[in-house]
Amino acid sequence: MKKYVFIICLFLFAILSPGGASAEFRNDPNGFGGMYWGEPLSQVQPDMHAQFYKYGVNGDPIYLVLIPNANGELYLNGRMVAVTAFHNDRLIAIMIPLLRKPGYETDQAYQELYSHLRQLCGVPDKVETSAAAWSGPYSVLILTKTGQGVAVCLMSVRAAHQEAVNGRL
């Protein structure tokens, strides 16, 4: 639970800090893996084999989505499963869990991906010992350590603002 509160705080800091989105956040992905903010589930489902997972704390449906190949997007490659959230049938958030590989420590994986993301996206808006956040014109991106490895969390800036206004973030 503390990890989710921390991630929410990073989202809020990144999107509501003075000056808004960072001018440094280059290459804002506007989604991930061929999915884009505001896209309806019906467009995601045929190609990505979306499967209902559960309802989130705010009642929005959460789906597991198979991404056949990340194609180097955000320096990620290969087949992966993303956890996605939809609000009013529109994509608002994507979380990509990167599970620890045998012999590959979480800190090592985090530092490697952090270095790549910093090259791609610029200097993060916020850096903590176990997370970094970038905020751009379309997306908030958070890289965080988890108990199982590392996760890349993305959320539509518009949805993050709306969630904050509604008191759900």
Side-chain angles (χ1 to χ4, degrees), residues 21-31 73-75 114-125 133-141 154:
S22 170
E24 283 291 323
F25 188 11
R26 302 181 303 266
N27 303 309
D28 185 330
N30 195 25
E73 195 172 344
L74 298 177
Y75 288 95
Y114 173 81
S115 294
H116 290 310
L117 289 175
R118 187 164 173 174
Q119 286 178 342
L120 179 69
C121 302
V123 177
D125 295 305
W134 292 261
S135 181
Y138 309 109
S139 309
V140 175
L141 182 152
L154 297 138

Side-chain angles (χ1 to χ4, degrees), residues 124-163:
D125 295 305
K126 181 80 173 164
V127 178
E128 298 287 339
T129 56
S130 63
W134 292 261
S135 181
Y138 309 109
S139 309
V140 175
L141 182 152
I142 295 176
L143 174 65
T144 186
K145 295 178 191 177
T146 68
Q148 295 80 33
V150 176
V152 176
C153 306
L154 297 138
M155 187 173 202
S156 152
V157 166
R158 178 180 287 167
H161 276 288
Q162 191 60 47
E163 292 294 299

Side-chain angles (χ1 to χ4, degrees), residues 58-126:
N58 59 1
D60 289 336
I62 297 174
Y63 286 81
L64 300 178
V65 175
L66 174 66
I67 298 171
N69 189 347
N71 294 315
E73 195 172 344
L74 298 177
Y75 288 95
L76 302 175
N77 287 295
R79 185 179 182 160
M80 52 191 53
V81 174
V83 181
T84 60
F86 290 80
H87 180 71
N88 292 332
D89 193 42
R90 301 291 179 186
L91 179 66
I92 61 168
I94 303 167
M95 197 257 309
I96 305 115
L98 304 169
L99 303 178
R100 222 181 349 238
K101 297 175 187 171
Y104 201 60
E105 293 298 320
T106 297
D107 289 339
Q108 180 183 359
Y110 175 86
Q111 286 303 325
E112 184 177 298
L113 189 51
Y114 173 81
S115 294
H116 290 310
L117 289 175
R118 187 164 173 174
Q119 286 178 342
L120 179 69
C121 302
V123 177
D125 295 305
K126 181 80 173 164

